[in-house]
Amino acid sequence: MTNSVAGTKPGKRERLIEAAVRVFYERGVEKTTIADIARVAEVPVGNVYYYFKTKDQLIEAAIGAHARTLDQLIAELNRLESPRDRLKRLIDGWVQERELAARYGCPFGSLTAELHKRDDPLEGRASEVMQALVDYAAEQFEAMGRADGKQLGIALIASYQGISLLTNAFRDPELMVAEGKRLQDWIDSL
């Protein structure tokens, strides 16, 4: 996220959200403290409570940031002419992030899985964002003339989530490269 005025530092609230997304990804929700987020955001801990009264409010803001990132990605993908190209570019993006996946897994998949271990309403909010990605993939398959677009969308996202997990488990970014190639070949075969 950048501030609209060139060369200026984003505001404290924006820095806190960016830091929450990053620290939750790198350390997990349960291991992250508000002080950790404040330190990364370069905001005094006492100031955090002005913007976010609880850690759950920071989690919700992080989910919102992921939703906005997905919306931006979809807008960028939709500039491509064909649904096949959109899906393949989506996969390219995953492969480009393979080093991070090897270290931490999927940014949003990890957060969603962790929130599902808690018994609170935030897990449903995270699921909505994941559903939006599945729905987008399904729409692309349907635009390719596939009546089974929903199932194919689920298969694509499941493949990505699975390879993210394995890439992380084995700390091997080349697994993401190989699966990306397989998925692109699969899309070309449809």
Side-chain angles (χ1 to χ4, degrees):
M1 240 183 255
T2 59
N3 196 300
S4 60
V5 179
T8 63
K9 197 174 191 179
K12 288 180 185 176
R13 185 175 198 290
E14 291 79 17
R15 292 197 325 263
L16 286 165
I17 294 169
E18 289 174 9
V21 168
R22 178 177 158 200
V23 179
F24 290 150
Y25 180 41
E26 293 175 358
R27 296 187 63 190
V29 170
E30 297 307 317
K31 291 183 181 178
T32 298
T33 65
I34 287 177
D36 295 329
I37 293 168
R39 186 173 34 261
V40 170
E42 298 178 358
V43 172
V45 175
N47 288 9
V48 174
Y49 296 100
Y50 176 79
Y51 301 99
F52 302 98
K53 304 294 182 218
T54 65
K55 184 175 169 182
D56 280 355
Q57 287 181 343
L58 275 163
I59 295 168
E60 190 164 4
I63 293 168
H66 281 288
R68 287 187 298 280
T69 298
L70 178 59
D71 288 344
Q72 292 168 349
L73 174 62
I74 287 171
E76 181 182 314
L77 292 172
N78 283 340
R79 290 189 203 125
L80 298 173
E81 194 168 313
S82 79
R84 184 178 316 275
D85 289 342
R86 292 179 201 134
L87 290 171
K88 291 174 75 173
R89 179 75 56 87
L90 179 64
I91 294 165
D92 284 340
W94 296 336
V95 171
Q96 289 172 9
E97 297 295 321
R98 67 188 174 273
E99 296 295 333
L100 287 172
R103 189 152 182 191
Y104 306 113
C106 169
F108 195 68
S110 299
L111 178 63
T112 302
E114 190 172 357
L115 291 177
H116 274 355
K117 293 175 186 173
R118 298 166 37 138
D119 188 24
D120 66 38
L122 292 175
E123 69 176 302
R125 176 80 170 94
S127 293
E128 291 171 13
V129 179
M130 186 66 75
Q131 185 65 57
L133 178 59
V134 170
D135 290 346
Y136 180 76
E139 289 166 10
Q140 301 315 301
F141 285 114
E142 289 165 1
M144 291 168 55
R146 297 297 303 227
D148 56 348
K150 183 174 181 179
Q151 292 82 9
L152 294 173
I154 289 170
L156 177 64
I157 303 309
S159 292
Y160 166 62
Q161 289 301 320
I163 200 60
S164 291
L165 176 67
L166 292 175
T167 296
N168 177 247
F170 298 129
R171 299 283 199 245
D172 184 357
E174 293 310 306
L175 291 174
M176 184 73 75
V177 173
E179 182 65 0
K181 169 102 173 72
R182 187 193 71 77
L183 288 171
Q184 291 201 353
D185 290 346
W186 171 64
I187 289 168
D188 282 339
S189 75
L190 297 174

